[in-house]
Amino acid sequence: MYIIPLGTCNCPYEVVAPGVSDGNLVKLPVPSYLIKLDDGKNLLIDTGMSRLHITDPLATWRGTEVADVLVPEMQPEDNIEVRLAELDVRPTDIDYVINTHLHFDHAGNNDLFQRATFFVQREHYDFAKDNGRFPNQYWNLPKLKYELLDGEMELFPGIEVLLTPGHAPAHESVMVRLPETGNMVVCGDAVYTQDNLDHASWGGQADPEAAAESAAKLQRIAQEESATLLFGHDPAQAKQFHRSPQSYR
């Protein structure tokens, strides 16, 4: 498994963890994850922010109130095509994509992967369709093939989707069972940062009560399964884990 850095999204910290460091700006890392499956197929978890933001930070939110709150910052090397090329992988080599959810920083490059089958929860897909909070221009495209899921399941050997609503309806996290490193859970935005857990700060989530329950569920799973939780946008954690082209096995 490769943790692929795709720039940062800069915002006030109260968007992430209200009451912890209000008024301070933070650069939130935006990752994608490439997993080499046992059969040689390539799986991505999330696709990051659109490469359009490299030259136009306002590409998604220009003219809206969100433009002043979420500010993408991407360098040319943060183009997911460039990051994958470092691993000798092309967009046409991606067989599957799991979207934890369809916000602009998790599905922004879906359009690149026209050969892939996309997995997303049916309830979430229906909620996000034609919803301006989930910019449809990046993912709601006729050329893309979605397989809609109804609940938790093992998608592939060692790859399980976990329902973790709260950030959005039917948000999903992903358990990745690695033979050498052990179990790792890609939380998506079920948990933004360690501060959410340390301060029980869930007011930045769409449904704070559901988010708190999902976080507790992930903590239980982490304890029971000896799993590492990979938070959605934690600057400190991003410095602790290898980034592509280094990998976890």
Side-chain angles (χ1 to χ4, degrees):
M1 182 178 79
Y2 300 86
I3 303 175
I4 301 175
L6 298 174
T8 61
C9 188
N10 307 328
C11 72
Y13 204 65
E14 56 265 33
V15 172
V16 177
V20 175
S21 188
D22 293 0
N24 291 320
L25 294 177
V26 61
K27 293 179 179 290
L28 302 176
V30 177
S32 174
Y33 303 84
L34 174 68
I35 300 168
K36 300 279 191 175
L37 299 176
D38 291 341
D39 62 1
K41 298 288 182 68
N42 292 309
L43 163 69
L44 277 180
I45 302 175
D46 289 337
T47 64
M49 298 182 293
S50 171
R51 58 212 179 273
L52 296 175
H53 295 105
I54 294 170
T55 56
D56 183 7
L58 295 176
T60 299
W61 301 114
R62 179 178 281 104
T64 72
E65 294 180 357
V66 179
D68 297 323
V69 178
L70 300 177
V71 182
E73 183 177 327
M74 298 178 69
Q75 303 303 317
E77 59 268 26
D78 294 323
N79 185 330
I80 195 169
E81 293 177 281
V82 174
R83 295 294 189 195
L84 290 175
E86 293 174 350
L87 303 172
D88 197 28
V89 175
R90 299 164 297 178
T92 53
D93 296 326
I94 300 300
D95 300 285
Y96 310 108
V97 177
I98 299 173
N99 285 125
T100 60
H101 62 300
L102 296 166
H103 276 148
F104 88 110
D105 54 331
H106 292 259
N109 291 298
N110 279 20
D111 65 297
L112 281 174
F113 304 105
Q114 297 180 32
R115 282 195 61 255
T117 297
F118 289 80
F119 298 98
V120 67
Q121 291 291 324
R122 183 185 310 277
E123 178 186 349
H124 180 77
Y125 181 89
D126 290 342
F127 181 82
K129 198 170 183 180
D130 301 321
N131 185 332
R133 287 176 290 172
F134 301 82
N136 278 219
Q137 66 267 31
Y138 300 131
W139 61 269
N140 187 11
L141 304 169
K143 60 189 175 183
L144 300 183
K145 181 176 69 174
Y146 286 86
E147 185 167 322
L148 302 181
L149 308 178
D150 295 299
E152 301 186 338
M153 66 189 70
E154 183 180 62
L155 274 182
F156 306 101
I159 305 292
E160 301 157 30
V161 294
L162 310 168
L163 280 177
T164 50
H167 180 70
H171 178 287
E172 61 187 3
S173 303
V174 186
M175 170 72 83
V176 181
R177 300 185 185 277
L178 298 169
E180 296 179 21
T181 304
N183 299 331
M184 305 184 89
V185 178
V186 176
C187 295
D189 283 353
V191 182
Y192 291 132
T193 73
Q194 182 69 46
D195 277 341
N196 295 125
L197 299 176
D198 291 346
H199 299 274
S201 177
W202 306 109
Q205 300 282 25
D207 184 337
E209 183 176 347
E213 292 175 358
S214 289
K217 173 181 177 176
L218 288 175
Q219 288 181 295
R220 287 195 303 272
I221 290 171
Q223 184 174 14
E224 293 168 1
E225 301 270 6
S226 298
T228 299
L229 298 180
L230 299 173
F231 306 131
H233 302 285
D234 192 314
Q237 192 183 63
K239 297 175 182 177
Q240 298 169 4
F241 288 88
H242 298 319
R243 268 14 193 188
S244 176
Q246 293 179 288
S247 68
Y248 291 90
R249 297 181 177 275

